[in-house]
Amino acid sequence: MHSEDRLIHFSTELIHAPKKHTVQALQKLYYELSQGRHAYQNTDFTRSDRVRFHTRRGERTQSIAVFLADRIVLAEEWTDIPLASFMDKLIAVASLAMDELGIPVFAAQTVTLRSTFALSHFDNARDFMIEQVCGQRDRVQPFFQRPVTVGGIRLVLPETPDMPATVNLLMESYRHSENEVYAEVKAIFRKHPVKPDNLFPLRERVSDARAFMSGRVFPYLDQFDRPNGEEA
């Protein structure tokens, strides 16, 4: 399996106690962000309970910030920026949002990364996942009697001392490319609230999720990517 994966999505939710944000405060936040390098090009105030800042680049690539009563959601869809740039934006938005919206603490955080891995010894990722990873060769079609479009495996992993987050892991054939495996890591951090005087943990958790993708997901899948379908 190719060691360099292709990150296509990063996002995080910064969860806080419910708070009604005023339009004036959100407009001020948008203005403050526009003064730096993490500005968004457009806003959507049509729903007062779900205000959105966003920038579209090209046909699919988007940068999004959504402000809800109990969380801030930052996302990069079909991203064209490095993960490090996303982490810089995360700290900038979180710091200004705490100031302008009066958020005293982020009680929890989720981090979601989506990536694809190109196979070295298989042409079809669906067959690779169903037959090689899941060991279901000739065990699916007789029962369902129809083709399989996407096949994969989902795991939920509890937190550990070195990764204090519940991890929801999805690995499946990638519907947009025949020889790539799609992986999604969603890490849920519920401990150690984050206050304005130390926002570093917000960034560190993104790094932890990235390390899990590279250091855990990749070697797990790679063990099955063997010449001529050899067993791992």
Side-chain angles (χ1 to χ4, degrees), residues 16 28 53 64 69 80 82 91 110 127 136 138 148 197 199:
H16 55 80
K28 178 75 172 355
F53 303 166
I64 304 166
D80 60 358
I91 297 302
T110 72
D127 294 344
Q136 296 295 298
D138 300 326
V148 176
D197 59 350
L199 298 179

Side-chain angles (χ1 to χ4, degrees), residues 149-173:
T149 303
V150 174
I153 183 172
R154 177 177 180 265
L155 301 172
V156 178
L157 308 170
E159 61 183 63
T160 63
D162 65 324
M163 180 66 163
T166 299
V167 177
N168 291 270
L169 173 61
L170 176 66
M171 297 167 287
E172 64 184 25
S173 53

Side-chain angles (χ1 to χ4, degrees), residues 97-226:
M98 293 181 107
D99 287 344
E100 301 298 338
L101 304 180
I103 300 170
V105 63
F106 293 121
Q109 182 182 5
T110 72
V111 177
T112 301
L113 302 181
R114 296 172 185 154
S115 194
T116 67
F117 296 89
L119 297 170
S120 297
H121 303 291
F122 287 80
D123 296 325
N124 190 297
R126 180 193 60 221
D127 294 344
F128 169 76
M129 289 302 302
I130 292 175
E131 298 175 8
Q132 190 77 348
V133 177
C134 299
Q136 296 295 298
R137 184 190 299 271
D138 300 326
R139 296 180 180 180
V140 177
Q141 177 67 21
F143 292 91
F144 297 104
Q145 298 182 2
R146 64 186 66 192
V148 176
T149 303
V150 174
I153 183 172
R154 177 177 180 265
L155 301 172
V156 178
L157 308 170
E159 61 183 63
T160 63
D162 65 324
M163 180 66 163
T166 299
V167 177
N168 291 270
L169 173 61
L170 176 66
M171 297 167 287
E172 64 184 25
S173 53
Y174 186 41
R175 66 178 69 242
H176 300 294
S177 177
E178 194 170 77
N179 77 322
E180 289 183 273
V181 175
Y182 168 90
E184 178 183 280
V185 169
K186 182 174 183 179
I188 305 169
F189 299 85
R190 296 187 178 92
K191 295 181 179 178
H192 309 300
V194 176
K195 298 181 180 180
D197 59 350
N198 181 19
L199 298 179
F200 179 74
L202 301 180
R203 184 186 184 104
E204 186 176 40
R205 291 164 179 174
V206 177
S207 295
D208 287 345
R210 178 57 176 150
F212 187 90
M213 181 76 82
S214 301
R216 303 294 182 183
V217 178
F218 167 74
Y220 172 79
L221 291 169
D222 187 54
Q223 69 177 322
F224 299 103
D225 192 9
R226 296 289 180 263

Side-chain angles (χ1 to χ4, degrees), residues 11 19 45 147 231:
S11 63
K19 188 178 192 303
F45 282 87
E231 292 188 5

